[in-house]
Amino acid sequence: MRTLEEARSEMLAVIDPLGTAALPLVDAAGRLLAVDAAAVIDLPRFDNSAMDGYAVQAAEAGTGAKLQCIGEVPAGSEFDGELGDGQCARIFTGSPLPAGANAVVMQEDTRVDGSTVEITDGVKPFEHVRLRGEDVKAGECIGQAGMKLQAGQLQLLGAAGVAEVTVFRRPVIGVLATGDELCEPGTELGAGGIYESNRLALAALIRDAGAEPRVFPLVPDTMEATVDALKGAFAECDAVVTSGGVSVGEHDYVKSAFEQLGGSLEFWRVKIKPGKPFVFGRLGGKPLFGVPGNPVSAMVTFLVLVRPAILQMQGAADLDLPSHPGVLADPFANRGDRRHFMRVHADAAGNVYAAGLQASHAVGPFGKANGLVDVPPETSLAEGAPVKVLRFS
Ligand code: AMP
Ligand code: MG
């Protein structure tokens, strides 16, 4: 059986980013940059005022000096002319500094009488001045390929004059759920029936990973239905995630149906808990990720195995869940021989609580959890032990 690292590197070795597309910056939120982006202009673009006040020559603007105000510079304009000795100009935050000025006196440090401005607190050269290019220089790399475009990156690119970026294509990920017992939410449950919930959870995780989920109808436990469903999903999608039907029961058809369709099974089973029966295969270069049907196993295998692969399909530089330090508020024990990804809730102070019953069918804990703690085999962790929390929300 493969370790998690072996399974993960085996998958990532055969998964390439999809193509790229040029997008206007306004449509690029959440996308991954495919090509480095450079600043078009300096930021600030010109020396400008950090305050509402008066542009001055610092040498002329000591405490008690009286200056003549010879004009004003509203935002979005430029001062026509140059300040001479004993002169100042009314200026506002962000307005370009007039030629001849090298500092700004805040309005609060002046006393104004007609066009005479008395300085009540003198300034030093460059005080309250933002210098051209001090923030970003034109030509500087301000976005690396593989970076996710979030608010801060969009702000920077937009300010620096980048109107269009090249991003990786978002993969379309098919989501199938197999099982004769599964019923659509809102329908009446027959004998032995349960409400299907993995497609909802997987689709949400796929969207969180930047890809587009495509959810297909429920798949009954027959060879024919499973082959048909896989065939339809692979025709429409860049990769397919199936849930259920990957264990050893005689009603588990995902692996055999996939092979019947011409897919190659690369591996089955990973040494983790929950999620041992995970399957990875390829059909015409497109990946199949077969997660187990137990809801917690489905979520955990998605987070630790499928998510990195989907991110790699988008050219992401960072494939790992964010890892936050925390301290256990409850004792944890893993008596098994597989590492156990326990479901936890970490609070803002870093206290880490067990999120309830740690069993692969138990959905209650996932409703409360925001992270996983990777507990090694045959290991007990006492309350107060330092841990890393792999955060998924
Ligand atoms: P399987 O992996 O198909 O053997 O299913 C394992 C367990 O997970 C069984 O108890 C199933 O009823 C349950 N299960 C399978 N698929 C789903 C699903 N899509 N939603 C909720 N529970 C499921
Ligand atoms: Mg099943």
Side-chain angles (χ1 to χ4, degrees):
M1 205 183 323
R2 281 162 180 73
T3 65
L4 177 62
E5 283 72 20
E6 286 163 354
R8 191 179 133 132
S9 44
E10 199 169 324
M11 287 195 306
L12 295 180
V14 294
I15 289 175
D16 293 320
L18 304 175
T20 62
L23 270 192
L25 203 53
V26 290
D27 296 327
R31 303 296 294 267
L32 286 132
L33 261 188
V35 175
D36 288 357
V40 178
I41 57 172
D42 285 332
L43 291 177
R45 189 180 146 224
F46 39 79
D47 295 349
N48 71 84
S49 177
M51 294 287 170
D52 291 337
Y54 294 87
V56 299
Q57 294 174 358
E60 300 273 311
T63 304
K66 288 188 175 168
L67 304 175
Q68 277 307 110
C69 184
I70 61 164
E72 69 165 16
V73 203
S77 70
E78 216 172 37
F79 190 72
D80 196 9
E82 189 174 345
L83 288 191
D85 292 351
Q87 295 182 330
C88 66
R90 180 79 173 119
I91 199 164
F92 304 93
T93 305
S95 296
L97 212 63
N102 68 354
V104 171
V105 181
M106 324 199 266
Q107 189 167 323
E108 294 85 335
D109 294 338
T110 62
R111 205 171 293 131
V112 180
D113 181 9
S115 64
T116 303
V117 178
E118 184 186 341
I119 311 299
T120 58
D121 190 2
V123 284
K124 294 193 270 303
F126 306 110
E127 207 167 322
H128 305 314
V129 172
R130 304 155 168 173
L131 293 173
R132 173 176 179 163
E134 71 175 10
D135 185 5
V136 172
K137 301 259 186 300
E140 190 178 320
C141 176
I142 51 170
Q144 280 89 18
M147 188 178 88
K148 187 168 181 179
L149 298 175
Q150 288 169 313
Q153 290 77 40
L154 294 170
Q155 173 88 277
L156 168 58
L157 292 164
V162 175
E164 190 180 87
V165 283
T166 304
V167 297
F168 287 106
R169 193 161 77 67
R170 293 178 72 199
V172 176
I173 311 291
V175 183
L176 295 178
T178 70
D180 280 340
E181 74 281 29
L182 305 178
C183 301
E184 291 287 358
T187 60
E188 189 129 347
L189 292 174
I194 64 167
Y195 287 125
E196 197 286 318
S197 55
N198 284 344
R199 289 176 305 170
L200 287 169
L202 294 169
L205 291 175
I206 288 167
R207 213 171 277 120
D208 283 352
E212 185 186 322
R214 187 160 301 167
V215 174
F216 289 90
L218 294 173
V219 185
D221 285 324
T222 67
M223 185 68 162
E224 200 191 353
T226 312
V227 170
D228 283 353
L230 284 170
K231 191 173 178 185
F234 271 95
E236 283 182 37
C237 304
D238 299 303
V240 176
V241 180
T242 59
S243 115
V246 289
S247 296
V248 293
E250 48 275 44
H251 301 292
D252 290 329
Y253 289 107
V254 169
K255 287 181 276 123
S256 47
F258 184 65
E259 285 188 309
Q260 182 162 321
L261 209 56
S264 68
L265 288 178
E266 307 292 335
F267 64 80
W268 174 48
R269 291 187 163 172
V270 181
K271 205 167 179 209
I272 55 171
K273 182 183 170 183
K276 184 169 81 168
F278 179 82
V279 170
F280 176 62
R282 286 196 303 153
L283 176 63
K286 296 179 179 180
L288 167 78
F289 307 105
V291 304
N294 268 313
V296 177
S297 314
M299 295 268 276
V300 168
T301 47
F302 183 93
L303 289 167
V304 301
L305 286 161
V306 186
R307 181 181 179 276
I310 289 179
L311 287 171
Q312 181 151 302
M313 291 174 80
Q314 299 167 78
D318 188 2
L319 307 180
D320 295 318
L321 287 168
S323 169
H324 295 199
V327 173
L328 286 186
D330 294 315
F332 280 9
N334 177 8
R335 297 195 179 83
D337 64 352
R338 285 175 279 149
R339 59 208 271 195
H340 190 169
F341 286 90
M342 294 195 170
R343 282 68 68 196
V344 301
H345 179 83
D347 69 14
N351 300 306
V352 180
Y353 301 87
L357 179 63
Q358 300 288 326
S360 58
H361 67 283
V363 288
F366 251 119
K368 300 187 199 113
N370 58 11
L372 301 173
V373 171
D374 179 2
V375 184
E378 282 135 28
T379 299
S380 293
L381 298 174
E383 189 185 326
V387 289
K388 283 191 198 146
V389 180
L390 301 171
R391 290 290 297 265
F392 55 80
S393 75

